[in-house]
Amino acid sequence: MKCLWCESEETEKAGLTGYWELPDGSRAVQITVIPSVSCSSCGMEYQEDHIVDEIEDQLMLIDTKKIDSTISYTELMSIPRFLKKNYFKL
């Protein structure tokens, strides 16, 4: 896998922590163990676009009032959705 920033092959998969603002803007949540990429060449750590899209869609389609201030990626993605997909995404 190539680093999106420096194009080095010196990358590895990692489970990192990130912070997301809820769609209603009421607060932010800490999401732990997010599938991520870590580059030892440039030091960049990031989530790939499809993971970011999955998290944002999930937050849009669940009852976020039931989420604590910290949740793991796996726990977040296992919460039942109101809708099957994000119909608001164009």
Side-chain angles (χ1 to χ4, degrees):
M1 167 184 290
K2 277 189 176 179
C3 175
L4 294 177
W5 298 93
C6 71
E7 298 185 357
S8 169
E9 296 284 342
E10 303 290 320
T11 61
E12 59 183 35
K13 293 183 180 187
L16 302 175
T17 297
Y19 298 86
W20 256 263
E21 184 176 351
L22 297 180
D24 65 2
S26 62
R27 62 189 173 107
V29 293
Q30 179 185 46
I31 304 172
T32 61
V33 198
I34 302 168
S36 304
V37 177
S38 179
C39 178
S40 60
S41 185
C42 70
M44 187 59 71
E45 297 177 328
Y46 60 92
Q47 290 81 39
E48 294 176 290
D49 289 343
H50 70 94
I51 296 293
V52 172
D53 288 344
E54 286 177 5
I55 291 171
E56 290 178 353
D57 283 348
Q58 185 71 352
L59 290 172
M60 181 70 77
L61 300 172
I62 63 172
D63 184 0
T64 57
K65 292 179 180 90
K66 296 180 181 178
I67 298 176
D68 290 330
S69 59
T70 301
I71 190 168
S72 75
Y73 173 81
T74 304
E75 291 171 329
L76 175 66
M77 299 312 287
S78 69
I79 297 173
R81 296 176 168 194
F82 292 130
L83 301 170
K84 290 184 181 181
K85 70 178 206 169
N86 186 352
Y87 295 99
F88 307 106
K89 197 176 203 177
L90 300 175

